[in-house]
């Protein structure tokens, strides 16, 4: 028997029969799932997945992961111990603190863009904005590398993105529309109230308007029309029409589409993540990862019912960050707990960041302004956790050691996902573009 | 102005007809430029000679000529921004007159659809950021409103561009919308380097962006060339007389990170004569639009050619460079010269292009050699704009809608239904290279618009067809084809679908079977694309 056969046979034949007969695949309820998942995660064929937790507006590093207690810049939050001695974070992230052994905090991010639109683009693509070339966003770039053949679910799902300030920073750029994300919850604005409809895939089900027989008949009529038309008109528009309609129908009809149905989860679980867009988005991310979706991003753009642009706390920094932290803590920590319980944490890279940090000096409105000079990002899951990379000075105004650029971070993310950051894609103007800038140096200390 | 023999009023077009009447009244007050059919036809002949010469040289057999139905739909979309109405289609197909295609073009150019369609077209060309950038989007509506006015008057293109570059409308139009015309400058915050880049790209077809920071890696533009151009956009107004006695050579601008300044110099290396009291923007506007400018006319005709043929003679249309030569350089020069000779009349150009046999080729590929897009040996299949998709859908399904001039630009994300425009929003790719997305497919299959349009109780088109006592099933199917695809069904299609309807489909009701047929037409790529 081959090696892979051996590893599969450690689940008894009876187990497999029970699982398939019960139609249990895709439903995450019974205790057998950790067993199956552990097998899956250990198999060399399972590629890594990535979850990007995007903090729109630029989260304050001093009030989250890089506290300056005792210094005038420190503000009102108190530090708490984490599961790793020597590392302290904000008191408003208690559950995340308990996850610290799986997290690596980069306290020395240093970038050059202080404008929301440009900084969002810079950090999400790993390259500065240029007129001629449209770089792909991280999710498009990496999902393309990690995609599996013949998957029904799209390879890149984006939950509640707020794209208004720079739509190109959320798009596939020169990789083309095939690598654009499937967006759910995209019209919630800053602080949409969460309802059960919020994260559904628009129009995924036929809303009961016709019976399955009629739907089949319709598709057959469409097929007749298309065959005649497309055969004599080769080219991207007609061929993509065919391919994408096929994919859409498969998505509609397959059980994999139920990954988007959060009502399958118990109320207890949904409460633990938080009944808001971000929390339920994290729950959706977990379900999609279980279905082998390579890249999911979940944006935290604001507070439920609120009207403020996310973490962009130019005023009332402390109340806002506290509330956002509470939402963040519940969703993120539940996500990590559940991934761990399913044996998926080691093969999932979690990236937490925004487009920049915030000023150490508190302004006249009790707020903090944009600050790309020294900020924090956090990697979790498929990294060597329980450590801090780099540091800032006592005032938080500059990097003390080990500056990390957006390109360095992108290269690190690539390596953590088992990808070579120097791999090249051909852009639409013929220039080869590497996954990460050629000058990037990955943070080796983080890599397993 | 004649409305032609084929326009019929249907409930769905009441709104559009109202606007047509309004514009008719307006235009009756303004003297129209005289139509010159002979010149346009003559130019079309010369276009064909140039295109055919290359076919012969390469031994390529072109596709067949487009049928009347193909031409009607294609021209209606390209010029009027929408598919034709059923009655229009029927009459056009039955019309025996030999010059009906030219008459159709003339009629479309005089229609409200032309004004609306091209207001979107030129706004997207001149303010591309407005589709993606919140801050630029606020200038979109005013700019489009101003464009609609100018298009209604058929303002010649050089006058239009001068108004834009000097951010002031022509003197006799000052009473009308003045804010909109400033959009080109304002959406770029009047920043000199941004304006230089945009002016070069939009009006001259030249990308000098890279040269902002260093000498262009692929092309001949040096960093000094960029900043010499940018020096015109500092917005300074001065009197040359103030510099009498000194060696005044023009306004200057400091080159960032370098120790020198650049003096205002045009891209072709010449400098203006600063003798009179003029603003820098006026000087620039005059240079850009002067007949002697080597780029302006060629870039403009190329942009329009690219719109009609899916690919410019130079492609991408705003990337003229030594490394990117025209596929038909003499043709490009000819079109440019004729454009100038006809006072930069956009409609003249459109008449000539659409009269050519090259434009009137079918999209059905009959030989693999036709695949080379630079030969223009077959009409490529092209994406429609979001507005064209939305308008065509509304017309085909009989959905009455208000005329909303401001669409397709990003809206604040806060609830509201997904419109077809937002779903099919432009992504900057060439119209022959765009792909359908899953969300688009799902919306077309299951979305509210489609569900309403394919339900007898809520669809005007279906209701009109299904209940018509004077139509048999075959004729009902024919009407649905005319409504959605602007053509008659083939014999095979008619036979097969009539049998389907008569059997009633899975629901065993002929009315429901008609709904199914209509659904398939609206979801076809034939409906969604221009071909």
């Amino acid at each position: 028997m081959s090696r892979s056969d051996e590893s599969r046979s450690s689940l008894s034949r009876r187990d497999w029969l029970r699982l398939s007969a019960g139609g249990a695949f895709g439903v995450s309820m019974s205790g057998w799932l950790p067993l199956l998942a552990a097998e899956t995660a250990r198999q060399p064929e399972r590629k890594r997945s990535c979850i990007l937790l995007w903090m729109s507006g630029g989260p304050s590093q001093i009030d989250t992961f890089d506290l300056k207690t005792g210094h005038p810049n420190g503000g009102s939050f108190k530090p708490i111990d984490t599961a790793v001695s020597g590392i302290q974070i904000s008191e408003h992230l208690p559950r995340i603190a308990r996850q610290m052994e799986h997290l690596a905090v980069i306290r020395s991010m240093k970038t050059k863009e202080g404008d929301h639109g440009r900084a969002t683009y810079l950090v999400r693509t790993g390259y500065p904005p240029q007129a001629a070339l449209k770089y792909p966003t991280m999710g498009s770039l990496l999902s393309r590398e990690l995609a599996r053949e013949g998957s029904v679910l799209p390879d890149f799902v984006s939950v509640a993105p707020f794209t208004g300030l720079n739509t190109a920073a959320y798009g596939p750029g020169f990789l083309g529309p095939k690598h654009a994300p499937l967006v759910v919850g995209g019209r919630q604005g800053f602080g949409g109230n969460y309802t059960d409809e919020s994260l559904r895939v628009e129009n995924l089900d036929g809303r009961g308007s016709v019976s399955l027989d009629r739907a089949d008949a319709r598709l057959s009529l469409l097929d007749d029309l298309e065959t005649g038309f497309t055969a004599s008109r080769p080219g991207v528009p007609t061929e993509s029409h065919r391919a994408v309609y096929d994919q859409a129908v498969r998505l509609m009809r397959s059980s994999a589409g139920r990954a988007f149905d959060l009502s399958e989860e118990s109320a207890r679980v949904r409460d633990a993540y938080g009944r808001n867009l971000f929390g339920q988005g994290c729950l959706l991310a977990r379900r999609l990862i279980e279905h082998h979706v390579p890249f999911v991003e979940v944006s935290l753009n604001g507070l439920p019912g609120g009207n403020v642009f996310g973490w962009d706390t130019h005023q009332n920094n402390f109340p806002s960050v506290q509330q956002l932290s509470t939402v963040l803590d519940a969703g993120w920590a539940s996500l990590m707990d559940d991934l761990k319980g399913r044996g998926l944490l080691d093969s999932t890279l979690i990236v937490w960041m925004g487009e920049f940090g915030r000023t150490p000096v508190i302004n006249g409105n009790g707020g903090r302004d944009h600050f790309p000079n020294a900020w924090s990002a956090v990697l979790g899951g498929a990294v060597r956790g329980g450590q801090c990379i780099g540091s800032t000075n006592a005032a938080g105004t500059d990097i003390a050691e080990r500056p990390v650029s957006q390109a360095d971070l992108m290269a690190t993310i690539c390596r953590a996902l088992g990808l070579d950051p120097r791999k090249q894609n051909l852009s639409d103007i013929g220039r080869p573009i590497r996954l990460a800038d050629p000058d990037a140096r990955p943070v080796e200390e983080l890599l397993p | 102005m004649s409305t032609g023999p084929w326009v019929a009023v249907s409930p769905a077009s009441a709104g559009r007809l109202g606007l047509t009447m309004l514009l008719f009244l307006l235009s009756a007050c303004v003297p129209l430029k005289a139509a010159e059919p002979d010149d346009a036809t003559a130019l079309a002949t010369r276009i064909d000679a140039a295109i055919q010469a290359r076919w012969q040289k390469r031994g390529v057999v072109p596709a067949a000529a487009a049928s009347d139905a193909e031409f009607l739909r294609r021209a209606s979309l390209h010029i009027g921004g929408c598919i034709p109405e059923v009655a229009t289609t029927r009459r056009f197909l039955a019309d025996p007159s030999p010059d009906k295609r030219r008459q159709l073009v003339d009629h479309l150019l005089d229609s409200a659809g032309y004004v609306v369609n091209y207001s979107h077209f030129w706004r997207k060309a001149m303010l591309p950021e407005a589709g993606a950038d919140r801050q630029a989007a606020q200038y979109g509506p005013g700019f489009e409103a101003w464009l609609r006015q100018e298009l209604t008057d058929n303002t010649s293109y050089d006058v239009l561009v001068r108004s834009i570059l000097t951010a002031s409308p022509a003197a006799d139009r000052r009473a009308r919308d003045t804010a909109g015309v400033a959009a080109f400058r304002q959406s770029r915050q009047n920043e000199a380097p941004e304006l230089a880049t945009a002016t070069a790209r939009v009006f001259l077809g030249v990308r000098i962006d890279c040269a902002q920071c260093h000498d262009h890696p692929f092309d001949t533009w040096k960093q000094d060339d960029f900043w010499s151009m940018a020096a015109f956009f500092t917005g300074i107004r001065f009197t040359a007389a103030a510099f009498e006695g000194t060696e005044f050579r023009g306004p200057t601008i400091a080159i960032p990170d370098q120790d020198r300044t650049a003096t205002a110099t045009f891209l072709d290396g010449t400098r203006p004569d600063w003798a009179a009291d003029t603003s820098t923007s006026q000087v620039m506007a005059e240079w850009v639009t002067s007949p002697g400018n080597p780029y302006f006319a060629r870039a403009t005709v190329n942009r329009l050619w690219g719109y009609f043929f899916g690919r410019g003679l130079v492609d991408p249309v705003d990337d003229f460079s030594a490394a990117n030569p025209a596929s038909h350089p003499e043709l490009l020069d000819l079109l440019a010269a004729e454009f100038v000779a006809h006072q930069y009349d956009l409609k003249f150009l459109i008449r000539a292009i659409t009269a050519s046999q090259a434009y009137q080729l079918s999209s059905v590929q009959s030989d693999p050699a036709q695949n080379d897009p630079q030969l223009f040996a077959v009409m490529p299949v092209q994406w429609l704009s979001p507005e064209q998709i939305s308008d065509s859908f509304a017309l085909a399904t009989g959905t009455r809608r208000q005329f909303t001039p401001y669409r397709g630009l990003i809206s604040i994300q806060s609830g509201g239904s997904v419109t077809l425009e937002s779903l099919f929003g432009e992504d900057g790719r060439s119209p022959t290279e765009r792909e359908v997305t899953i969300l688009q497919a799902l919306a077309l299959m299951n979305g509210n618009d489609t569900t309403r349009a394919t339900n007898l109780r809520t669809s005007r088109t279906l209701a009109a067809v299904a209940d018509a006592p004077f139509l048999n099933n075959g004729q009902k199917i024919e009407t649905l084809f005319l409504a959605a695809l602007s053509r008659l069904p083939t014999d095979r299609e008619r036979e097969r679908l009539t049998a389907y309807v008569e059997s009633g489909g899975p629901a065993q009701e002929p009315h429901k079977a008609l709904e199914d047929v209509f659904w398939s037409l609206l979801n076809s790529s034939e409906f969604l694309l221009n071909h």
Side-chain angles (χ1 to χ4, degrees), chain A residues 395-438:
Chain A
T397 51
D398 209 346
I399 308 285
E401 53 173 12
R402 190 76 171 83
V404 177
S405 72
Q406 78 284 347
D408 297 335
L409 182 64
M410 183 68 90
T412 311
I413 290 170
C414 289
R415 290 280 306 278
L417 291 168
L419 303 171
D420 181 357
R422 293 162 309 176
K423 176 175 185 288
Q424 293 178 350
N425 289 317
L426 207 57
S427 72
D428 53 355
I429 58 171
R431 260 170 69 191
I433 307 289
R434 296 179 197 272
L435 298 187
D437 186 288

Side-chain angles (χ1 to χ4, degrees), chain B residues 252-394:
Chain B
T252 58
I253 192 171
I255 303 180
D257 298 330
Q258 309 270 345
D259 268 333
R260 53 182 199 280
T261 59
T263 308
T265 312
F266 296 126
L267 278 181
D268 58 1
T270 60
R271 286 191 182 159
D273 183 9
W274 295 106
D277 173 21
T278 51
S279 74
T280 47
S281 58
Q282 201 169 332
V283 164
M284 170 57 66
E286 274 161 21
W287 175 75
V288 166
T289 58
S290 92
N293 185 303
Y295 310 101
F296 182 60
R298 286 159 88 233
T300 309
V301 305
N302 188 56
R303 187 181 286 280
L304 275 173
W305 181 280
Y307 173 65
F308 283 95
F309 283 93
R311 185 191 194 281
L313 293 169
V314 171
D315 202 84
V317 298
D318 55 5
D319 197 5
F320 278 65
S321 80
N324 193 22
S327 58
H328 299 72
E330 290 93 11
L331 175 58
L332 182 60
D333 290 345
L334 167 68
L335 287 168
E338 288 292 303
F339 185 52
V340 175
H342 285 83
Q343 289 83 49
Y344 303 90
D345 181 359
L346 294 166
K347 289 189 181 179
F348 162 75
L349 199 56
I350 294 174
R351 277 186 244 269
I353 288 175
T354 54
S356 68
Q357 285 174 17
Y359 178 73
Q360 298 191 19
L361 289 177
S362 171
S363 61
V364 173
Q365 190 176 302
S366 57
D367 187 297
Q370 292 154 10
N371 248 338
D372 180 356
Q374 294 197 29
L375 287 175
F376 302 101
V378 66
M379 176 57 70
V381 174
Q382 305 164 34
W383 268 81
L384 296 171
S385 74
E387 297 86 3
Q388 290 168 342
I389 292 173
S390 172
D391 283 348
S392 299
F393 192 92

Side-chain angles (χ1 to χ4, degrees), chain A residues 357-368:
Chain A
R358 303 206 81 79
T359 50
V361 175
I362 300 167
N363 69 25
N365 293 323
R368 299 190 196 265

